[in-house]
Amino acid sequence: MKRTITVTGTGSAKAAPDLVTLTLGVETRRDSAAQAYSDAGRAAGAVAASLRQAGVADADLQTSGLNLRADLVWVEGQGQKVSGYVASTNLLVAIRSQADAPAAIAAAVAAGGDDIRINGIGQGFSDASRVTAAAQEAAWSDAERRAQQYAQLAGARLGSVVTVSQQPAPGAPVPVGGMVKAFAAEALPVEAGQSSVTASVTVEWELLEG
């Protein structure tokens, strides 16, 4: 019966990110539903226009979510009453130049005024293939090192590779070092730091007599 050994290796690679992703929200509270909806549309349009002026391409702007609801308050003896209406929408933004990010974000904040919200920021890679390949090579080396160690402990040596199984790729790159700072109307810096991509591979080797 052929003897085999199966080992899972993991590896990671780091690089400076070149892509900033933002989730911007626009939220308006007005006395009527029509006014809230209309003003939210104008604010969202102004934010999108400011981002285009800052160099963000149309393909990197995407509207996500649209909500219009009554704003309710509790009145003693009367129950819930409508105090106004709230309209909101989100804009997903990709800024493909780290250096342009602070000015683009500041422009969006200025255009949106008190109706804008910054709901999240992320950093990653426009093309992650190079850093992913480096992480995969590191995972393979880790698996091979572990397999050789176990083979030696078993008084054997590694033969041919029998099977290779790549584990599911992780989600977004994990930031390493470098703080992402809060934003105001001024162009505050966006610190790039480094992002780490992790890979995992499971390899089965044939075990030969030592």
Side-chain angles (χ1 to χ4, degrees):
M1 179 179 178
K2 182 172 68 174
R3 295 191 302 164
T4 63
I5 182 173
T6 302
V7 175
T8 297
T10 58
S12 62
K14 300 176 186 176
D18 61 358
L19 176 68
V20 176
T21 55
L22 289 173
T23 303
L24 300 178
V26 169
E27 183 178 87
T28 57
R29 284 178 171 81
R30 302 293 187 266
D31 290 337
S32 71
Q35 191 64 53
Y37 184 83
S38 177
D39 287 354
R42 276 195 291 270
V47 169
S50 72
L51 289 166
R52 290 187 178 97
Q53 262 192 327
V56 177
D58 287 346
D60 291 329
L61 294 172
Q62 182 180 29
T63 299
S64 171
L66 179 62
N67 183 267
L68 178 64
R69 61 178 174 81
D71 202 7
L72 302 175
V73 296
W74 178 264
V75 179
E76 190 66 31
Q78 300 181 46
Q80 285 188 330
K81 295 289 184 180
V82 175
S83 64
Y85 294 86
V86 179
S88 61
T89 187
N90 289 322
L91 185 64
L92 306 181
V93 186
I95 303 173
R96 298 185 181 275
S97 170
Q98 192 78 28
D100 293 341
I105 297 168
V109 170
D114 293 340
D115 295 327
I116 195 168
R117 309 287 183 268
I118 298 180
N119 296 328
I121 181 171
Q123 300 192 68
F125 307 103
S126 298
D127 181 3
S129 58
R130 183 175 59 84
V131 68
T132 298
Q136 291 169 337
E137 289 177 11
W140 179 275
S141 297
D142 182 54
E144 189 174 35
R145 178 185 59 79
R146 292 172 184 266
Q148 288 175 342
Q149 180 182 14
Y150 290 133
Q152 288 175 1
L153 291 173
R157 58 188 174 86
L158 295 182
S160 301
V161 173
V162 179
T163 61
V164 178
S165 175
Q166 182 175 321
Q167 301 305 304
V174 178
V176 179
M179 297 296 291
V180 177
K181 301 184 179 181
F183 299 104
E186 295 82 11
L188 295 182
V190 179
E191 305 294 350
Q194 286 192 319
S195 290
S196 176
V197 171
T198 300
S200 182
V201 63
T202 298
V203 187
E204 181 184 10
W205 275 276
E206 184 182 4
L207 272 183
L208 305 177
E209 293 295 332

